[in-house]
Amino acid sequence: MSLPQPRTLAEIDTPAVLIDVDKALANLARAQAFADAQGFALRPHIKTHKLPFFAQKQIALGAKGITCQKLGEAEVMADAGIADILLTYNILGAAKLARLKALHGRISISVTADNATVIAGLAEAFTDPAHPLPVLVECDTGGGRCGVQTQDEALHLAQQVAAAPGLRFDGLMTFPKVGKAAESQAWLTDAVALLAANSLTCRKISTGGTPDYRKAGEVPLATEFRPGTYIYLDRAQVAMGAGTLDQCAFTVLTTVVSRPTPTRAILDAGSKALSSDLFGQEGYGVLFDRPELRLTGLSEEHGVLDLSAAPGGVAVGDRVRVLPNHACVVTNLFDIVYLVSGEQVVDVLPVAARGKVG
């Protein structure tokens, strides 16, 4: 793919994703320093950026490895030289298992599972006791997504893993509910005790979530933390206290294409360029330098900007930067992103892991 090579923000066509590289790198360094000081490993989730460039920066700063949600993401990152990957998703089906086996042959990869069917498939595909696939049992400690519901279920699955010659029980993984770190610690404490009573040791206890990474001390059992959005932050993360507006590194550059009324402007970025996730926010984003101006509606190619707070705020042709509610989704909507420093374009990167299946 031939990439555009603008030198300044003024030369970028809209809509476009801008990454303030200085802020992003500062966010990475800040989180790594915190993890080092607290004594836990950082295994960042690349679903937010999907860029080998930033995965390599995370490793260079001291991350233990990375987390991927999809096989396709892991394949891209392995091709870029990332050698330690945790895949936090149930893997099912012969095609995916064959791809996983190929990855296992060239990097250190571990997976999670929360049911017997997934483990049976892994056990059938991986049969070499000299090179077992590490498996973590996923536990629902309050997040309400995947994961076993009881400690007894965790024990049963761990025993199933341990009984398979080509698998190795490595520990537990959870994605806890925001603000419920203490509850997660209590759940995991009981699970670890039950496993130990049955001669099963947890080499790893992996937890995550950007909003609570500064509360990692409330889960002392955890050996590693998996933040994702911390690299960029977004409107929702700021609202949850994970960072400040000034630390947000991710914006969408848009153009005002219409002013139908004194209190409404239309941007050239709709649902195909911005996330419709709300996360408890009013509207779908705000102008980065004027957060009182909210996007109150999205259709496919139109973003509706409410100008009630400043009726003369923008004119047709103005270019404005939108801070979205959820940066991770927006990343997956664009083929390329622009790394910027001030008004200068530092680099243009393809979103290499975008849209990868599996």
Side-chain angles (χ1 to χ4, degrees):
M1 178 172 60
S2 178
L3 300 180
Q5 297 297 325
R7 293 167 296 177
T8 66
L9 267 61
E11 297 174 15
I12 296 175
D13 200 5
T14 64
V17 168
L18 307 182
I19 308 299
D20 187 314
V21 67
D22 304 312
K23 291 182 179 181
L25 293 176
N27 291 341
L28 296 185
R30 188 182 306 108
Q32 187 64 56
F34 178 78
D36 293 344
Q38 294 293 313
F40 62 87
L42 210 60
R43 183 181 288 279
H45 208 312
I46 62 86
K47 67 183 178 66
T48 301
H49 59 73
K50 296 180 179 285
L51 298 170
F53 172 84
F54 278 127
Q56 291 161 351
K57 295 292 185 185
Q58 289 166 318
I59 296 294
L61 283 167
K64 179 179 182 179
I66 63 169
T67 304
C68 294
Q69 200 79 334
K70 293 291 184 177
L71 267 168
E73 294 174 343
E75 288 163 341
V76 168
M77 294 299 156
D79 289 344
I82 305 299
D84 188 338
I85 298 175
L86 171 63
L87 188 60
T88 51
Y89 208 81
N90 286 328
I91 301 299
L92 287 161
K96 288 183 174 63
L97 287 167
R99 291 164 61 197
L100 178 61
K101 196 168 183 178
L103 277 171
H104 183 54
R106 63 190 180 107
I107 65 167
S108 174
I109 190 163
S110 51
V111 300
T112 64
D114 78 342
N115 64 79
T117 301
V118 169
I119 294 171
L122 293 171
E124 184 177 351
F126 293 84
T127 57
D128 184 3
H131 186 43
L133 175 72
V135 180
L136 286 76
V137 173
E138 182 169 1
C139 307
D140 181 4
T141 61
R145 204 160 62 181
C146 294
V148 297
Q149 299 300 296
T150 69
Q151 291 85 354
D152 285 338
E153 288 180 86
L155 171 62
H156 177 72
L157 292 187
Q159 290 172 327
Q160 185 182 353
V161 172
L167 305 181
R168 185 183 78 204
F169 173 65
D170 238 28
L172 305 176
M173 187 279 283
T174 186
F175 183 71
K177 187 175 182 179
V178 175
K180 299 295 182 179
E183 288 85 344
S184 179
Q185 168 71 9
W187 200 105
L188 293 168
T189 297
D190 290 344
V192 169
L194 181 60
L195 290 164
N198 287 271
S199 302
L200 289 166
T201 301
C202 292
R203 294 177 178 87
K204 299 177 186 175
I205 297 181
S206 182
T207 188
T210 293
D212 279 346
Y213 91 89
R214 288 196 171 274
K215 298 179 182 177
E218 296 181 24
V219 191
L221 271 178
T223 61
E224 64 179 32
F225 207 87
R226 309 182 317 275
T229 320
Y230 80 110
I231 181 174
Y232 295 154
L233 299 173
D234 52 30
R235 188 181 177 214
Q237 295 297 328
V238 170
M240 288 185 276
T244 65
L245 188 65
D246 288 342
Q247 292 169 341
C248 290
F250 186 101
T251 55
V252 178
L253 182 65
T254 73
T255 300
V256 179
V257 295
S258 178
R259 278 292 309 271
T261 76
T263 59
R264 185 170 81 245
I266 305 299
L267 308 181
D268 65 348
S271 61
K272 292 181 177 178
L274 292 165
S275 170
S276 58
D277 289 345
L278 292 176
F279 285 121
Q281 305 297 299
E282 291 187 9
Y284 302 97
V286 295
L287 295 196
F288 183 66
D289 58 348
R290 302 184 67 179
E292 74 278 9
L293 300 183
R294 291 182 290 111
L295 272 75
T296 56
L298 296 178
S299 54
E300 289 186 38
E301 303 291 357
H302 300 78
V304 179
L305 184 65
D306 181 5
L307 299 177
S308 299
V314 297
V316 172
D318 285 352
R319 290 152 63 89
V320 296
R321 295 170 68 169
V322 174
L323 176 66
N325 291 348
H326 191 187
C328 305
V329 175
V330 179
T331 293
N332 203 50
L333 298 176
F334 287 83
D335 289 329
I336 61 173
V337 296
Y338 296 86
L339 303 188
V340 302
S341 179
E343 295 294 313
Q344 300 301 308
V345 177
V346 176
D347 206 350
V348 185
L349 301 178
V351 185
R354 172 184 183 261
K356 299 302 180 182
V357 298

